[in-house]
Amino acid sequence: QVQLVESGGGLVQAGDSLRLGCVASGRTFSIYAMGWFRQAPGKERAFVAAINWSGANTYYADSVKGRFTISRDNAKNTVYLQMNSLKPEDAAVYYCASNNVPYGTASYFLSAYGYWGQGTQVTVSS
């Protein structure tokens, strides 16, 4: 059974940084693209960042480009999201997700991901 467990969320002030982590278990982590999504109250879940299986390719939503960095450590079965210069509009529950297809490309489509974590709350005060 595939499990994804996020950590690292919290309450920060605008301009601060946070690093989220997501540990995967239950299948071979290193051959699947991973993604981060977020959902604010009253809004749909939205793409934040994705990374392909090897880590060679990354993609970002325009709203976070230049501030957030996605990375992975395949030896630790972990994907990270480094978030810098946080803004109040970044506040949301952040979810990591694992792609459905081995060696698939990183994707911004929710439907490309078959496994999701439980989410970690990020709150940014102004």
Side-chain angles (χ1 to χ4, degrees):
Q1 181 179 0
V2 177
Q3 286 191 317
L4 303 174
V5 180
E6 300 100 334
S7 62
L11 170 63
V12 297
Q13 293 187 331
D16 285 351
S17 298
L18 273 178
R19 188 174 82 154
L20 307 183
C22 171
V23 179
S25 62
R27 66 177 182 179
T28 305
F29 172 79
S30 61
I31 64 174
Y32 291 93
M34 298 292 293
W36 284 98
F37 293 77
R38 65 188 182 187
Q39 188 166 18
K43 295 188 177 182
E44 294 185 350
R45 193 168 297 190
F47 170 74
V48 175
I51 188 167
N52 79 324
W53 64 275
S54 69
N57 296 307
T58 57
Y59 303 92
Y60 298 93
D62 288 344
S63 58
V64 307
K65 205 171 292 183
R67 298 187 298 122
F68 289 12
T69 302
I70 188 171
S71 62
R72 66 189 298 158
D73 185 339
N74 285 343
K76 295 183 178 180
N77 289 355
T78 302
V79 61
Y80 302 99
L81 185 68
Q82 177 67 43
M83 305 186 294
N84 298 331
S85 302
L86 282 161
K87 304 176 181 180
E89 52 264 41
D90 294 319
V93 177
Y94 282 72
Y95 299 91
C96 73
S98 182
N99 199 282
N100 290 324
V101 179
Y103 303 108
T105 57
S107 173
Y108 50 80
F109 292 110
L110 273 74
S111 59
Y113 298 88
Y115 297 97
W116 295 81
Q118 82 289 348
T120 185
Q121 178 72 51
V122 172
T123 304
V124 184
S125 64
S126 57

